């Protein structure tokens, strides 16, 4: 059974700190991973996508993928109060596949 | 990124009525759209995959007769919640896949349905 597990959270960090969000998955067939950010009452927006092992950086965001250990992480450097939201990881098994979403982790950045 | 428009953003209706939600791809053609439902503090649950010109594919446990999906054109998919009941109250979100062929999803703004 395909499963995506996320840190249940919530996670609270002070402004300026590094927030680390983790996601593990059970299906080794997975090929692509995504991190979405969702503000309360809004729909998700794509932050990062990662397809190969290692790190991928985009501004203050770094996605890390380790297929051997079956986890994907999102690091947010210099966290800002505006980063306070629910973060969803999602994964797919290839072209035209459906995405499966994790439960989400709520991040709160304290001013 | 691609733009997906969804409306209405909020609906309040009486139990037993039907509600239609529209999802449009504004600047690209979407042969496939996805409908998700999200209950408070829970993740997105895929309800069905909407395919242009053919029947939708429903996920296990989703009643196809209750959640009618029509994808009559390459830019429009509709979800109709028939005979809505309070337990159908939820946040409904449509999405379309990245038109350049990746697995990225672009989401509509969502519809908050409240059934009294």
């Amino acid at each position: 059974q395909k499963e995506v597990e996320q840190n249940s959270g919530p996670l609270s960090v002070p402004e300026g700190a590094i927030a680390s969000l983790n996601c593990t998955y059970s299906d080794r067939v997975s090929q692509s991973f995504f991190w979405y950010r969702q503000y309360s009452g809004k729909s998700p927006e794509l932050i990062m996508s990662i397809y190969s092992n290692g790190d991928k950086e985009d501004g203050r965001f770094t996605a890390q993928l380790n297929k051997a250990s079956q986890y994907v992480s999102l690091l947010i450097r210099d966290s800002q109060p505006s980063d306070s939201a629910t973060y969803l990881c999602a994964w797919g098994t290839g072209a035209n596949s459906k995405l499966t979403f994790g439960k989400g982790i709520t991040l709160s950045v304290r001013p | 990124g691609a733009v997906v428009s969804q409306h209405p953003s909020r609906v309040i209706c009486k139990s037993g009525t039907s509600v239609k939600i529209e999802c449009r791809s504004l600047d690209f053609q979407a042969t496939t759209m996805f409908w998700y439902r999200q209950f408070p503090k829970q993740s997105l649950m895929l309800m069905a995959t909407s395919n242009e010109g053919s029947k939708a594919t429903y996920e296990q446990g989703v009643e196809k007769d209750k959640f009618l999906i029509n994808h009559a054109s390459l830019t429009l998919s509709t979800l109709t919640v028939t005979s809505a009941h309070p337990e159908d109250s939820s946040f409904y979100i449509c999405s379309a896949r990245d038109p350049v062929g990746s697995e990225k999803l672009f989401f509509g703004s969502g519809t908050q349905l409240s059934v009294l």
Side-chain angles (χ1 to χ4, degrees), chain A residues 32 34 36 38 41-44 46 49 51 88 92-99 101-103, chain B residues 34 36 38 41-44 46 49 59 91 93 97 101-110:
Chain A
S32 53
F34 306 89
Y36 285 84
Q38 185 177 25
K42 303 296 183 182
S43 60
L46 181 66
S49 58
Y51 303 94
L88 303 164
T93 56
N96 298 320
S97 70
K98 299 176 291 187
L99 289 190
F101 285 83
K103 295 180 180 179
Chain B
F34 303 92
Y36 289 85
Q38 186 178 36
K41 300 188 183 304
Q42 296 189 22
S43 188
L44 278 68
L46 180 64
T49 302
E59 295 299 303
F91 191 51
I93 315 173
R97 189 177 282 125
S102 75
E103 293 172 271
K104 298 176 186 178
L105 289 183
F106 295 98
F107 287 89
S109 55

Side-chain angles (χ1 to χ4, degrees), chain B residues 88-105:
Chain B
D88 298 324
S89 299
S90 184
F91 191 51
Y92 292 85
I93 315 173
C94 71
S95 67
R97 189 177 282 125
D98 187 352
V100 299
S102 75
E103 293 172 271
K104 298 176 186 178
L105 289 183

Side-chain angles (χ1 to χ4, degrees), chain B residues 21-41:
Chain B
I21 303 170
E22 292 189 350
C23 181
R24 295 181 184 273
S25 56
L26 294 188
D27 51 1
F28 66 101
Q29 295 181 333
T31 56
T32 301
M33 290 185 177
F34 303 92
W35 287 95
Y36 289 85
R37 179 169 54 183
Q38 186 178 36
F39 292 106
K41 300 188 183 304

